[in-house]
Amino acid sequence: MAASSRSGVSAKILALAALIVLVIAVYTAGWFYAAATLKTNTLTALGKQQDHGVTADCADATYRGYPFRIGLFCSKVTVDDSAKGISASFGALRSAAQVYVPNHIVWELDGPSELRTGNGLSVTAQWADLQASLQTKAGGVERSSTVIKGLASAITSSQTGQAFDLKVEQTEVHARQNGADLDAAVTLRNTDLAARGLPLQIPRFTAVADVTVAGKAGLLEGHDETGTGLYGSKGEIRQLGVDLGDGQILSISGPIAIDEQGRLSGKLKLEVQKIGAWRERLSGNFPQLAKTIDTASKMLSALTGGGDSARLDVTLNRGKILVGGFIAVGEIPPL
């Protein structure tokens, strides 16, 4: 009886051990599957769309964090869009997710980065810190947030030969799917923009954009059912504004549409605060345009009763800009 009892206990121990080993094996397999999914979702967030000719590569990929955390590390990231002739490269990538919340990913990306397009546009950038988070669902990204500190970028066009230098103290980019629509908000805080070779002294500014694009939630997932991108789309500008500080604010809001040729149409509201301060600041930075700026500011003030702030109706008709519905003041080229 004693021998039989010991044999029964040993069998139970062996069965328990086998069960533990099986659980560990299944968990390990699941961990590596989740790691592979993390890689796919991270590269999708960077632009990968295999079905549309957009590839992304994670060089020297390694997975870390087992058993409770999943981490993907790459020495370099490259993205290529063969259809549109766009290529981009970045420095090292570090992304991670908790095992129990694999769809919530945080990641960091190092510079420098370089972007080239088929129409001759080249953008190089470096930054002090880039951190992002995103939430995924089946098929792609549901929402994302990115914060970049100390961004310094050079933008060059080989077609025109013109180059710009852009420095932004802090950049924030937020995007989310809102049903079938896409919500996006961008803030460029304390921005310096300079045009090389031109006597332009653009004052430091903070720019804000908060928009909704109807029916384009799929763009955040990495696909577009229409295949036209933003062309042929409609949306709402909640705020598109520039702030020079000290209450000098210019903002635009209202519905807008982009036709199949990239021309803009819409009925917008333009608001300007502290017109006099805008005139003095811009005249000081662009002395060669001082007379034009003075005339424009007086006209703007007169249209709203002579005050120091203005609220005007602005109509865009396939790119043509009409103030008050009938005064043509310029034209926006196709996007």
Side-chain angles (χ1 to χ4, degrees):
M1 292 292 296
S4 176
S5 177
R6 286 196 299 270
S7 176
V9 171
S10 298
K12 291 180 180 179
I13 293 175
L14 289 174
L16 179 61
L19 179 61
I20 292 173
V21 170
L22 178 61
V23 169
I24 292 175
V26 171
Y27 180 86
T28 301
W31 187 92
F32 278 101
Y33 174 80
T37 302
L38 171 65
K39 179 179 179 180
T40 300
N41 289 336
T42 301
L43 294 182
T44 297
L46 291 169
K48 182 177 180 180
Q49 301 176 50
Q50 198 76 44
D51 295 339
H52 296 85
V54 184
T55 59
D57 181 61
C58 173
D60 304 319
T62 59
Y63 302 106
R64 307 175 191 175
Y66 182 85
F68 301 117
R69 189 177 176 87
I70 310 167
L72 169 67
F73 291 73
C74 311
S75 62
K76 183 179 181 180
V77 175
T78 56
V79 180
D80 289 292
D81 185 340
S82 57
K84 298 180 181 178
I86 300 174
S87 63
S89 63
F90 307 89
L93 168 73
R94 298 170 295 280
S95 66
Q98 300 292 344
V99 172
Y100 51 85
V101 193
N103 67 319
H104 183 198
I105 302 169
V106 295
W107 51 284
E108 297 178 343
L109 187 64
D110 293 342
S113 71
E114 183 175 6
L115 170 71
R116 294 185 180 277
T117 69
N119 59 10
L121 183 67
S122 174
V123 181
T124 59
Q126 182 60 283
W127 49 83
D129 184 59
L130 187 159
Q131 296 186 355
S133 67
L134 57 92
Q135 292 184 6
T136 65
K137 65 176 184 179
V141 180
E142 186 174 23
R143 65 173 61 215
S144 69
S145 297
T146 303
V147 177
I148 307 172
K149 296 181 179 179
L151 173 66
S153 180
I155 306 167
T156 306
S157 172
S158 61
Q159 291 186 351
T160 64
Q162 184 59 59
F164 294 88
D165 293 314
L166 176 68
K167 294 183 179 180
V168 187
E169 184 177 290
Q170 180 164 307
T171 304
E172 296 185 22
V173 182
H174 304 278
R176 67 169 184 171
Q177 294 187 46
N178 184 6
D181 303 336
L182 174 63
D183 291 341
V186 180
T187 301
L188 305 178
R189 199 177 310 281
N190 293 333
T191 303
D192 295 307
L193 178 63
R196 297 182 196 173
L198 296 179
L200 298 179
Q201 299 179 11
I202 301 173
R204 171 172 283 197
F205 62 90
T206 291
V208 177
D210 186 1
V211 302
T212 292
V213 186
K216 291 296 182 178
L219 290 175
L220 194 57
E221 292 186 353
H223 67 81
D224 177 22
E225 294 181 359
T226 64
T228 59
L230 294 178
Y231 285 11
S233 64
K234 297 181 179 181
E236 180 80 17
I237 299 176
R238 284 186 291 276
Q239 182 183 17
L240 180 62
V242 176
D243 185 353
L244 298 185
D246 299 324
Q248 300 173 58
I249 301 172
L250 183 152
S251 63
I252 298 172
S253 61
I256 196 166
I258 307 173
D259 67 15
E260 286 72 12
Q261 287 74 45
R263 297 185 180 92
L264 298 176
S265 297
K267 294 186 177 296
L268 308 175
K269 294 289 185 182
L270 170 67
E271 295 187 57
V272 184
Q273 303 293 331
K274 295 193 174 182
I275 297 174
W278 274 93
R279 180 179 62 247
E280 293 178 7
R281 177 73 70 89
L282 295 179
S283 296
N285 286 93
F286 307 106
Q288 69 277 22
L289 299 176
K291 187 174 181 179
T292 301
I293 293 171
D294 183 62
T295 301
S297 64
K298 288 180 179 178
M299 181 183 297
L300 184 63
S301 180
L303 286 172
T304 55
D308 200 33
S309 63
R311 181 181 174 87
L312 298 174
D313 292 328
V314 176
T315 300
L316 299 181
N317 184 4
R318 301 195 71 192
K320 294 181 174 59
I321 306 172
L322 305 173
V323 175
F326 61 92
I327 303 175
V329 298
E331 186 171 353
I332 301 174
L335 300 178

